[in-house]
Amino acid sequence: MPNSTTMTAPPRATRLPRAYPASRGLLIANAVALLTVAVALRAWQLGNIPGVNGDEAWSGVQAARLFAGESVDWWTPHGNPLNLFLVLPLAALQAVASPSFTLLRLPSLISGLAALVANYFLCRRAFDARTAVFSTIFLALLPIDIAYSRFAWDASQSLLATVIVLYLPIAHCRARGATSSLSGWAILALAAAIYIHPTNVFAAPLLVVPVALARRKQIDEVLRTTQIPARSWCFAAVAAISLATAYLAWQAISRGFGHLHGPSELPAFVINYLRLFSGTTIYEFIAGANLAAADSTWFGLLPTCCDLAFAVAAIFALVGMARRLKQEPTASDTALVWSWLAMLAGFFLIAGPAAIEPHSERYGVCLVAPAALVFARGMSWWLDERHAYRRNAAIALAAVAWLWPVTFYLGYFEFIQQTGGQSHRAFRTAAVEPKLQAYELMLAAHDASKPTTIVCQDWWCYWPIAYLATGDANVQVLTWQAWQDRVATGENSWRDPAWFVEFAGTNEERELTRQLESAERPVVVQTIRDYAGRPLLSLFAPAENSSQNY
């Protein structure tokens, strides 16, 4: 009987399931919509929300002086070097356009958008496309990133600077130290970041830790030749050098922190760090909303929900990052996590929780990019094709992401438009920025053929008006002290037709009123109001220039 052979079909090759093709288009559309909204929130009403403050306008005046070839203050009033990365683009813009508050903030807007572009391409090179998309969308939606793209401050460029510092050392680590050019560029990037804002010195671990990990074989060899028993000594030395460098640099720049912070302050630091990302810090600082005593229910609830939502998302991201490190550890992820933790430790020990509270959060902008990358790496683990629940996780994450732009619109734009702003008087504003309103009223009333003198006591009022006046050689803006000196020398008198601008209801306004009354000078006071109709600026016009009292 002939032998028979049973023929069986070859086993089919197992294939990983495709990434939910039915929902892929919707998720891509959602990502594009989120990015579009994030860009719109950065650009909408850029010139008047919030009100322009003196620090911003000071940089604008330096840019105008630089363009005109006049003397420039090379050190800021805070003792930092003049940020040419901010001033030079502004000077170039003012070469082709008249001074305006929108123009003043345009370099920061461009820098904020450039940070997103740089993050996407650098992250895609250092990790993968999914992480690049997640981290870019996350950075685009963060309220602190949106708000600081709308300020002409040095700290507004910290995000772009730290993004570059973040990725170059990781790329060096991924190359396993095969090239020294990446570490050289990383050192230059860190130096530029510190120049932009001194608190970026806390980004030093982002450079030191990945490079040390990439060159650990060489370090091991050095340790063996020097008879040091354990590799851990090397990492302890690197951490100590990083912290010492940050501490000495910080003390040299700002002397504001004289002691190291301890474990008792750690809970406050964690809470403030979470609020830095949820947005409540920004709403309290710029809009002036006190969440504990919010007048409107919608504002009292939405940021709190955003706090909770981000806390839950952060826990999921950290769990995902921990599982990624356990299941498929890579040099890049290891370098990222350890450098991020070292950076947080250095910032906590030296600066403490107060450095990221409302009104001080600009010091913590350097902490944003590393956390965003850790968040993206952790979340991308949950969405891996090997996980059956990835489709539901992606949809949930896409839905939760809308909390940030919605809350930002309500807690920032809507709140300021309803109340005029309840924070610092410099941030209070109206449909037309109040300092701009005052300047336009004075221009409309003065004789263009004659020189006009404007006097301001308050820093937050003087510099914005001085910036607007840089385009008009016939307008002179004086500080209160300069005006007093002129009166003392007889160059001017209280009866000269000068204009005075002060914040309403302040001691400066009361002192000015007393001086004008004692000099028996006739004036007409015009009041400029904020969005809510509250008096904000008092414009003391010469009686011959105005006949209406508002």
Side-chain angles (χ1 to χ4, degrees):
M1 184 173 183
N3 294 333
S4 63
T5 304
T6 304
M7 303 296 293
T8 58
R12 297 180 60 183
T14 56
R15 297 176 57 189
L16 293 176
R18 293 180 59 84
Y20 36 91
S23 304
R24 191 178 183 86
L26 292 177
L27 291 173
I28 293 175
N30 186 74
V32 172
L34 285 169
L35 287 173
T36 302
V37 170
V39 172
L41 290 174
R42 283 165 166 79
W44 187 48
Q45 293 188 308
L46 183 64
N48 70 302
I49 295 181
V52 172
N53 64 77
D55 292 342
E56 296 180 89
W58 182 90
S59 297
V61 171
Q62 305 312 310
R65 290 176 180 174
L66 188 65
F67 172 71
E70 301 175 358
S71 61
V72 174
D73 292 331
W74 294 104
W75 295 90
T76 71
H78 301 289
N80 302 328
L82 182 66
N83 182 9
L84 293 179
F85 291 110
L86 181 67
V87 171
L88 286 179
L90 185 55
L93 290 171
Q94 291 179 175
V96 296
S98 301
S100 70
F101 290 155
T102 299
L103 190 77
L104 177 65
R105 289 171 168 174
L106 198 55
S108 294
L109 172 62
I110 295 172
S111 177
L113 296 176
L116 303 182
V117 176
N119 179 83
Y120 176 78
F121 286 103
L122 292 174
C123 185
R124 185 165 184 168
R125 177 181 177 183
F127 292 98
D128 53 61
R130 177 183 293 163
T131 304
V133 170
F134 284 177
S135 60
T136 301
I137 292 176
F138 186 52
L139 288 175
L141 296 178
L142 283 179
I144 189 170
D145 291 342
I146 299 175
Y148 273 77
S149 293
R150 303 176 58 87
F151 271 136
W153 280 354
D154 293 341
S156 297
Q157 295 185 320
S158 289
L159 179 63
L160 176 59
T162 51
V163 160
I164 298 173
V165 174
L166 171 64
Y167 286 108
L168 290 180
I170 291 178
H172 178 92
C173 185
R174 188 170 185 175
R176 298 187 181 278
T179 173
S180 60
S181 61
L182 286 173
S183 58
W185 284 111
I187 292 172
L188 289 177
L190 178 62
I194 296 172
Y195 167 74
I196 287 172
H197 199 273
T199 52
N200 292 332
V201 71
F202 290 108
L206 298 179
L207 188 155
V208 175
V209 174
V211 173
L213 289 174
R215 298 181 177 272
R216 58 186 179 274
K217 290 184 178 179
Q218 294 92 323
I219 295 172
D220 283 342
E221 182 64 27
V222 172
L223 294 178
R224 283 194 296 268
T225 57
T226 54
Q227 303 301 313
I228 299 178
R231 182 189 304 177
S232 59
W233 285 100
C234 175
F235 292 103
V238 169
I241 291 172
S242 300
L243 292 176
T245 301
Y247 180 74
L248 292 174
W250 181 250
Q251 288 294 318
I253 293 165
S254 169
R255 309 189 185 278
F257 301 98
H259 67 281
L260 296 179
H261 297 268
S264 62
E265 298 174 276
L266 188 57
F269 182 80
V270 172
I271 292 173
N272 286 344
Y273 192 51
L274 288 174
R275 296 181 74 221
L276 194 69
F277 292 91
S278 69
T280 51
T281 298
I282 287 297
Y283 307 143
E284 185 174 337
F285 169 46
I286 299 174
N290 187 336
L291 299 182
D295 296 331
S296 50
T297 302
W298 58 264
F299 186 76
L301 291 177
L302 273 179
T304 303
C305 292
C306 210
D307 280 345
L308 294 174
F310 179 73
V312 172
I315 291 172
F316 271 94
L318 291 176
V319 171
M321 191 69 201
R323 292 187 175 183
R324 178 185 291 279
L325 288 174
K326 182 179 179 180
Q327 296 178 4
E328 44 190 35
T330 63
S332 298
D333 285 323
T334 302
L336 168 63
V337 171
W338 283 109
S339 59
W340 173 57
L341 292 176
M343 186 181 184
L344 278 180
F347 193 94
F348 168 70
L349 290 173
I350 298 170
I356 48 176
E357 286 180 346
H359 302 274
S360 299
E361 75 292 327
R362 61 188 178 277
Y363 302 139
V365 175
C366 61
L367 304 175
V368 171
L373 183 53
V374 172
F375 184 93
R377 292 296 288 164
M379 282 299 180
S380 66
W381 184 88
W382 292 102
L383 303 182
D384 191 276
E385 283 82 359
R386 293 169 295 182
H387 299 150
Y389 47 76
R390 66 194 182 284
R391 178 177 180 274
N392 294 333
I395 294 174
L397 185 61
V400 170
W402 282 101
L403 274 178
W404 277 266
V406 169
T407 308
F408 188 88
Y409 174 79
L410 294 175
Y412 194 87
F413 289 105
E414 184 70 16
F415 187 87
I416 289 176
Q417 288 173 338
Q418 285 189 9
T419 66
Q422 295 182 352
S423 182
H424 193 282
R425 57 181 178 269
F427 293 149
R428 290 173 56 192
T429 190
V432 177
E433 212 283 342
K435 276 83 73 179
L436 176 60
Q437 286 188 53
Y439 187 70
E440 289 178 339
L441 284 173
M442 290 182 284
L443 286 186
H446 91 293
D447 186 348
S449 63
K450 299 179 181 179
T452 299
T453 300
I454 302 171
V455 182
C456 305
Q457 293 187 66
D458 197 294
W459 166 278
W460 311 106
C461 183
Y462 167 79
W463 285 106
I465 293 178
Y467 167 72
L468 294 172
T470 57
D472 193 338
N474 215 25
V475 177
Q476 183 180 46
V477 184
L478 299 177
T479 63
W480 178 259
Q481 186 59 51
W483 171 258
Q484 293 279 47
D485 293 342
R486 289 192 175 195
V487 170
T489 60
E491 185 177 351
N492 287 106
S493 73
W494 280 102
R495 301 191 65 82
D496 289 342
W499 299 72
F500 296 86
V501 184
E502 298 298 340
F503 282 102
T506 61
N507 292 331
E508 290 83 359
E509 183 199 37
R510 288 186 282 271
E511 173 62 19
L512 174 60
T513 302
R514 188 190 66 79
Q515 292 272 19
L516 293 173
E517 288 176 349
S518 63
E520 298 182 353
R521 173 184 170 171
V523 294
V524 174
V525 181
Q526 303 179 42
T527 300
I528 297 174
R529 302 177 183 275
D530 63 15
Y531 267 118
R534 297 176 299 163
L536 180 57
L537 286 177
S538 295
L539 178 60
F540 292 77
E544 62 270 19
N545 289 91
S546 181
S547 59
Q548 188 174 6
N549 190 343
Y550 294 90

